[in-house]
Amino acid sequence: MEEINGWLSFPIHESPNQDLAIRRFCPARVEQGQSGGEWGETLTDRLLELWSPLHATSTPLLAPSEEEEFVGSFFNMDCYDNDKNQLPEQQKALIDQFQDELESFSMENDFYGDIPMMIEADELEMSSSCEDLGVVLDLEMVPQCGEKVSQGMDQGLHLVHLLLACAEAVGCRDTQLANSLLTQIWPSLSPWGDSLQRVSYCFTVGLKSRLSLLHNVSANGSFTDCIMVDMSSIDREEKTQAFHLLHQTTPYIAFGFMAANEAICQAAQGKDSFHIIDLGIKNTFQWPSLLRTLASRTEGPPKLLRITSIIGGGQDFPNLEASMTALVDEASSLGIPLEFHMIAEPATPSFLTRENLKLREGEALFVNSIMHLHKYVKESRGSLKIILQSIKKLNPTLLTVVEQDANHNGPFFLGRFLESLHYYSAIFDSLEATFPRNSPQRMKIERYHFAEQIHNIVACEGYGRIERHERIDGWRRQLGRAGFQVVGLKCMSQVRMMLSIYGCDGYTLANEKGCLLLGWKGRPIMLASAWQPQNVQSS
């Protein structure tokens, strides 16, 4: 432990008071477990964050052993088997992996422009041994393999330590210290490296953006409107392609679609006409499987299915309309009359009325939200509750909610940073198990999908921060207060079958009080749930 503590200390050329400066005053360290915004943020919390006294005490973010465990999760040691007959092939694969990593250092960085690439591995300090990691290797056969893994662990510990220290400095608005730490972090980053390097790259870019925006803090200590970072440089088509790739290659999106569709089909049994209100639709990927399931019902396909898509602004209308036209044709071939309508209005409480949505008597109503409701969690209290109450007034048969299961909305920056780092680290680790490091598909998913989310969580505040993800307990409380009760999902076997298709053992599935949680190596990533108004009896 003493060796780890020594390794996690700052380089000797830095000021001896640097660590003290980081911990000088930062209530984020004490309050990192609290929730905020719609979920409990108060004016007192905000003032505490801005004006805590210099003598306020704090506790460490991570113990050294926790940091080591956190970094260790990025290095998949499962490939080392005690079966001696398998060692040569596995060692060769590991050598090839490290060779690919070294070659990737010379690749041109087109991720975020002029941000430096990772330096050669031997330019960083090393300390841990292969034996410390419990790795079984024939070092005479592969003399450099264990050394590479050891170096990777040491670099990871050092990188996490610097990253957390920089986040704390940014949270405390110590721009001088934060800039100093950024100069130490940049050389260890690479968007083409291992999982830790890639996810740290995204978080460091977010820290840099947030740091540059600290100059726009108003007199009362709050961020001004310019904190809303312009992400228009991200091409809309690229974002759509990245989402499509994520849907095709990982179960995260397909899990939500499958769970929501199964819940809708179960609630629609015996109903001939029903209407789905889709909040914030960006594509039609969810609906082909629903159509096929409805077409195979024992009572026959429905006589009429209507889907009203509330897409708001900023969407690719021509492509979306073309996809909808193709979906209507597919439904017709399956014997299902389908009416598809697009509404270019945001789903505001005032708009969600029976008149605006053109609801009809006798049709069963379903409201579908895929990773959308968290955007109604605002700085002001009650905004999510109002939208949920507006949905309840429509008296839907079912409300399906699929969200990221993460606590990214605490009142203090440092707590949000640590929680989101853990969350996206698990996702990037799962991508490492799915794609090779030089995969352009992987790079597109990371750059155009997850990097944008990370940037919003880390760099933005106020109304500019829309990625306000919450855990299932928070959603259960908010939906309960708005008059909804959970309807247990009954599709565990179908989801397990779907997960088996991906050929990756790291995905986990759990049922928590009727809600399904999809995770990576036990870490929850996505939640799927179904709800009905409390005045409706469960079937």
Side-chain angles (χ1 to χ4, degrees):
M1 184 63 69
E2 292 178 357
E3 293 179 356
I4 296 176
N5 286 330
W7 168 238
L8 289 178
S9 63
F10 284 94
I12 58 176
H13 64 270
E14 291 296 319
S15 167
N17 294 324
Q18 186 182 71
D19 194 53
L20 177 62
I22 295 174
R23 289 158 175 75
R24 188 178 181 187
F25 68 101
C26 227
R29 301 180 70 95
V30 181
E31 305 291 346
Q32 59 180 321
Q34 294 186 5
S35 60
E38 182 75 34
W39 310 82
E41 182 179 14
T42 65
L43 179 60
T44 302
D45 294 330
R46 303 286 291 173
L47 293 176
L48 276 175
E49 182 181 20
L50 299 174
W51 304 112
S52 277
L54 297 179
H55 62 271
T57 58
S58 60
T59 56
L61 271 173
L62 287 177
S65 60
E66 291 175 320
E67 285 195 34
E68 185 174 11
E69 182 181 357
F70 177 68
V71 176
S73 67
F74 291 93
F75 296 87
N76 184 7
M77 312 308 287
D78 295 338
C79 62
Y80 301 103
D81 196 288
N82 289 327
D83 187 350
K84 301 284 186 184
N85 296 327
Q86 296 186 24
L87 283 175
E89 180 180 353
Q90 293 168 349
Q91 291 169 344
K92 182 178 182 300
L94 191 59
I95 293 174
D96 292 340
Q97 177 181 347
F98 282 120
Q99 184 64 36
D100 291 341
E101 180 179 350
L102 291 174
E103 291 175 355
S104 72
F105 294 159
S106 63
M107 300 181 71
E108 182 180 358
N109 173 16
D110 62 350
F111 196 169
Y112 284 100
D114 59 353
I115 297 176
M117 293 292 288
M118 182 173 179
I119 59 175
E120 292 294 324
D122 59 5
E123 293 182 30
L124 296 177
E125 184 181 357
M126 312 299 168
S127 65
S128 299
S129 64
C130 181
E131 289 78 6
D132 294 335
L133 301 176
V135 181
V136 180
L137 288 175
D138 187 344
L139 296 181
E140 293 183 358
M141 181 179 297
V142 191
Q144 297 179 349
C145 183
E147 180 182 355
K148 290 286 188 180
V149 175
S150 173
Q151 291 174 355
M153 286 292 291
D154 284 343
Q155 292 176 40
L157 285 169
H158 188 52
L159 177 56
V160 169
H161 184 59
L162 290 177
L163 200 60
L164 297 182
C166 184
E168 189 166 16
V170 171
C172 294
R173 302 184 181 182
D174 188 338
T175 56
Q176 183 176 0
L177 177 57
N179 279 317
S180 174
L181 290 167
L182 280 176
T183 61
Q184 299 180 56
I185 294 173
W186 286 131
S188 300
L189 305 178
S190 170
W192 297 94
D194 59 37
S195 299
L196 181 57
Q197 293 161 1
R198 296 165 89 115
V199 74
S200 298
Y201 197 101
C202 298
F203 276 89
T204 306
V205 169
L207 285 174
K208 183 180 179 183
S209 295
R210 188 180 182 93
L211 190 60
S212 67
L213 290 165
L214 285 178
H215 300 292
N216 299 304
V217 175
S218 63
N220 65 358
S222 62
F223 286 107
T224 59
D225 290 340
C226 60
I227 195 67
M228 299 179 64
V229 179
D230 181 16
M231 297 295 287
S232 59
S233 58
I234 296 182
D235 185 81
R236 183 182 299 157
E237 183 177 352
E238 296 284 1
K239 289 173 63 176
T240 301
Q241 291 177 2
F243 187 88
H244 197 179
L245 285 170
L246 183 67
H247 177 221
Q248 289 179 324
T249 58
T250 73
Y252 295 126
I253 306 300
F255 159 77
F257 288 166
M258 172 178 282
N261 286 346
E262 288 293 327
I264 292 172
C265 288
Q266 290 173 18
Q269 290 180 2
K271 296 177 172 61
D272 289 332
S273 175
F274 50 97
H275 187 177
I276 300 174
I277 305 296
D278 194 15
L279 303 179
I281 186 175
K282 295 181 179 179
N283 53 70
T284 60
F285 300 157
Q286 178 178 354
W287 306 124
S289 62
L290 176 69
L291 293 177
R292 290 190 290 269
T293 303
L294 292 175
S296 62
R297 295 196 308 178
T298 54
E299 68 262 42
K303 296 179 179 179
L304 177 63
L305 169 61
R306 296 203 298 149
I307 300 179
T308 298
S309 300
I310 303 178
I311 59 180
Q315 299 300 323
D316 191 347
F317 287 94
N319 286 338
L320 191 56
E321 190 172 16
S323 298
M324 291 178 177
T325 300
L327 196 66
V328 171
D329 293 340
E330 181 177 355
S332 178
S333 67
L334 294 171
I336 301 176
L338 173 61
E339 296 180 6
F340 220 130
H341 304 280
M342 289 190 300
I343 298 178
E345 293 279 348
T348 59
S350 60
F351 182 79
L352 293 178
T353 64
R354 299 186 65 87
E355 294 75 19
N356 290 334
L357 298 173
K358 296 179 173 58
L359 303 187
R360 301 172 185 172
E361 293 294 331
E363 64 181 7
L365 178 64
F366 299 87
V367 179
N368 182 69
S369 174
I370 306 294
M371 296 179 290
H372 186 71
L373 277 178
H374 70 267
K375 297 180 181 180
Y376 293 96
V377 182
K378 305 295 185 182
E379 294 286 341
S380 58
R381 287 179 174 271
S383 56
L384 177 64
K385 184 178 180 180
I386 293 173
I387 199 77
L388 291 176
Q389 289 176 338
S390 299
I391 294 173
K392 184 175 182 292
K393 289 179 181 178
L394 299 175
N395 195 29
T397 300
L398 201 70
L399 165 65
T400 52
V401 177
V402 175
E403 286 287 346
Q404 296 93 326
D405 187 60
N407 181 18
H408 296 160
N409 195 40
F412 299 108
F413 168 72
L414 191 58
R416 295 198 306 267
F417 183 91
L418 180 60
E419 173 69 21
S420 58
L421 181 59
H422 273 287
Y423 177 81
Y424 286 100
S425 295
I427 293 178
F428 276 57
D429 184 48
S430 70
L431 296 178
E432 177 94 342
T434 305
F435 298 96
R437 292 185 182 174
N438 60 354
S439 165
Q441 292 85 3
R442 176 182 177 183
M443 189 65 180
K444 182 168 288 188
I445 291 172
E446 292 173 346
R447 175 180 183 181
Y448 293 112
H449 187 76
F450 291 119
E452 184 181 6
Q453 292 181 12
I454 293 170
H455 188 277
N456 186 264
I457 294 170
V458 175
C460 298
E461 276 302 348
Y463 286 97
R465 181 161 60 88
I466 61 174
E467 301 297 344
R468 296 173 176 266
H469 309 136
E470 287 288 341
R471 291 200 181 281
I472 181 59
D473 288 341
W475 285 109
R476 187 177 286 112
R477 286 193 299 270
Q478 291 296 320
L479 285 158
R481 291 169 184 170
F484 288 91
Q485 62 186 15
V486 69
V487 177
L489 295 177
K490 304 174 183 178
C491 55
M492 286 282 287
S493 59
Q494 294 95 318
V495 175
R496 290 191 187 281
M497 185 178 300
M498 180 199 71
L499 293 179
S500 66
I501 298 175
Y502 293 90
C504 191
D505 296 332
Y507 294 109
T508 55
L509 185 64
N511 189 322
E512 183 177 322
K513 300 178 181 178
C515 304
L516 296 187
L517 294 175
L518 173 65
W520 175 254
K521 296 181 179 178
R523 167 82 192 201
I525 303 295
M526 300 293 299
L527 68 90
S529 58
W531 308 81
Q532 65 182 10
Q534 289 180 355
N535 58 342
V536 178
Q537 295 297 320
S538 247
S539 57

